[in-house]
Amino acid sequence: DAKTTQPTSMDCAEGRAANLPCNHSTISGNEYVYWYRQIHSQGPQYIIHGLKNNETNEMASLIITEDRKSSTLILPHATLRDTAVYYCIVSDMRFGAGTRLTVKP
Amino acid sequence: EAGVAQSPRYKIIEKRQSVAFWCNPISGHATLYWYQQILGQGPKLLIQFQNNGVVDDSQLPKDRFSAERLKGVDSTLKIQPAKLEDSAVYLCASSLFYPGRWNTEAFFGQGTRLTVV
């Protein structure tokens, strides 16, 4: 079973920030947190990952709590093309059901 | 850089028949994963290889599923005999391996959509 839990679905207005939470309370000290997204009929696409520190790349930002038991993926300016299922996983590479993000005009 | 290649893209078979899927990972990626994704669910890890050795196959239904990666490069996943509930997308992914680090980010192929009738 996956070590992560995420809300089933979320909505976000186009142009606003999308904040997707993830709980991973049983994460081990050397396990990374990874975020992927999957658009219909495609394989999952890597977004970002981190261990302890917050991370940012051209796609998103990742905020990890100090106790590492939860994290938040931030899409700073969501577009309609960001509508997808977002998965938070740890280093064991086991996926849960993810969060279905719908960006609305 | 070429991505993870999978074939075929689609396959329809009758129950009790056998089927095989092929995956060619990104060049230099030592770690290879096979996933099963049933419609509406997240990908389920079936097996993980490190070069040609199995790291984790705890969720592989070994009575009917088998996988191999003989030369540590490409891999095949086989189902024999297939059941109706095996209808799913089978995804292959690969990643680099750095000693001392659990995993690096994985890159996924487009998947093979299997329909068992």
Side-chain angles (χ1 to χ4, degrees), chain B residues 44-70:
Chain B
K44 174 186 175 182
L45 178 64
L46 294 177
I47 190 167
Q48 177 185 346
F49 290 97
Q50 187 67 37
N51 294 307
N52 60 349
V54 176
V55 174
D56 181 0
D57 64 356
S58 58
Q59 300 192 113
L60 185 73
K62 298 180 184 65
D63 58 334
R64 297 186 300 106
F65 286 65
S66 64
E68 60 182 13
R69 194 184 184 199
L70 293 177

Side-chain angles (χ1 to χ4, degrees), chain A residues 1 3 28 30-32 34 36 38 40-46 49 87 89-98 100, chain B residues 9 33 35 37 39-45 48 56 58-59 91 100-111 113:
Chain A
D1 291 350
K3 286 186 175 182
S28 300
N30 60 348
E31 286 190 290
Y32 286 75
Y34 295 86
Y36 291 81
Q38 187 172 29
H40 184 61
S41 299
Q42 298 181 17
Q45 174 193 22
Y46 164 79
H49 72 283
Y87 297 100
I89 67 171
V90 298
S91 295
D92 66 357
M93 297 302 290
R94 296 189 176 205
F95 288 71
R100 181 172 298 278
Chain B
R9 286 296 312 277
Y33 310 86
Y35 289 86
Q37 186 170 27
L39 186 64
Q41 300 180 16
K44 174 186 175 182
L45 178 64
Q48 177 185 346
D56 181 0
S58 58
Q59 300 192 113
L91 295 161
R101 177 174 169 178
W102 199 325
N103 269 318
T104 62
E105 60 272 25
F107 296 86
F108 284 77
Q110 291 283 73
R113 182 176 299 277

Side-chain angles (χ1 to χ4, degrees), chain A residues 77-92:
Chain A
H77 305 287
T79 71
L80 299 179
R81 288 177 294 180
D82 292 323
T83 292
V85 178
Y86 287 77
Y87 297 100
C88 164
I89 67 171
V90 298
S91 295
D92 66 357

